Amino acid sequence: MSQLLHTMIRVGNLERSIAFYTQVLGMKLLRTSENPEYKYTLAFVGFADESSGQAVVELTYNWGTDSYDLGTGFGHLAIGEADIYQRCEAIAAAGGTITRKPGPVAGGSTHIAFVEDPDGYKIELIQLKDATKALG
């Protein structure tokens, strides 16, 4: 059976991004690799390794590039949380940026919130009990 393994995003400061995903969002640093010939470093973070069936995030740092134009094609990463209200309090206390406070989606009952990582990528937090429903 096929499995979604990871989503890759390019980051401008690998250490800052690893700190955000591990210390603020609570993921684990699963592994890193460095490619001196092509001048990039990869860090894989997630709540569990891909072998558990969970997808992870690949943070790609291209040496010497400190920022990217996020463009309009990428939307967000989504994370299911048991309590998005409590999670947002913890994220804010850890210095994270909440861009949409937790609450029901406009015109619906699914509870969501949005946070932003240090590079400006949006991360949607969805109340886990609502995570498999359409956003309504």
Side-chain angles (χ1 to χ4, degrees):
M1 174 182 256
S2 300
Q3 172 189 338
L4 180 64
L5 295 176
H6 67 260
T7 298
M8 184 275 272
I9 57 176
R10 290 178 177 87
V11 300
N13 180 308
L14 188 60
E15 292 77 24
R16 179 184 68 189
S17 293
I18 290 170
F20 173 80
Y21 284 91
T22 59
Q23 296 169 18
V24 176
L25 290 184
M27 294 181 182
K28 298 173 187 156
L29 176 61
L30 302 171
R31 64 188 176 280
T32 61
S33 66
E34 195 168 277
N35 188 313
E37 181 181 358
Y38 293 99
K39 299 182 177 157
Y40 68 85
T41 304
L42 307 178
F44 290 83
V45 294
F47 295 108
D49 189 82
E50 298 97 325
S51 65
S52 72
Q54 292 209 22
V56 304
V57 179
E58 173 189 336
L59 305 172
T60 297
Y61 173 65
N62 293 297
W63 301 357
T65 303
D66 63 0
S67 66
Y68 290 92
D69 176 9
L70 299 184
T72 58
F74 178 81
H76 60 269
L77 303 174
I79 298 173
E81 294 284 352
D83 184 340
I84 64 169
Y85 294 86
Q86 182 180 28
R87 194 72 181 99
C88 283
E89 288 178 15
I91 288 169
T97 302
I98 311 296
T99 59
R100 187 218 191 257
K101 293 182 180 182
V105 68
S109 60
T110 302
H111 287 241
I112 66 169
F114 274 90
V115 302
E116 192 173 272
D117 86 352
D119 288 281
Y121 291 108
K122 304 290 187 246
I123 300 161
E124 180 182 24
L125 305 178
I126 303 175
Q127 196 73 15
L128 202 50
K129 68 179 180 67
D130 300 328
T132 58
K133 300 177 191 173
L135 290 180

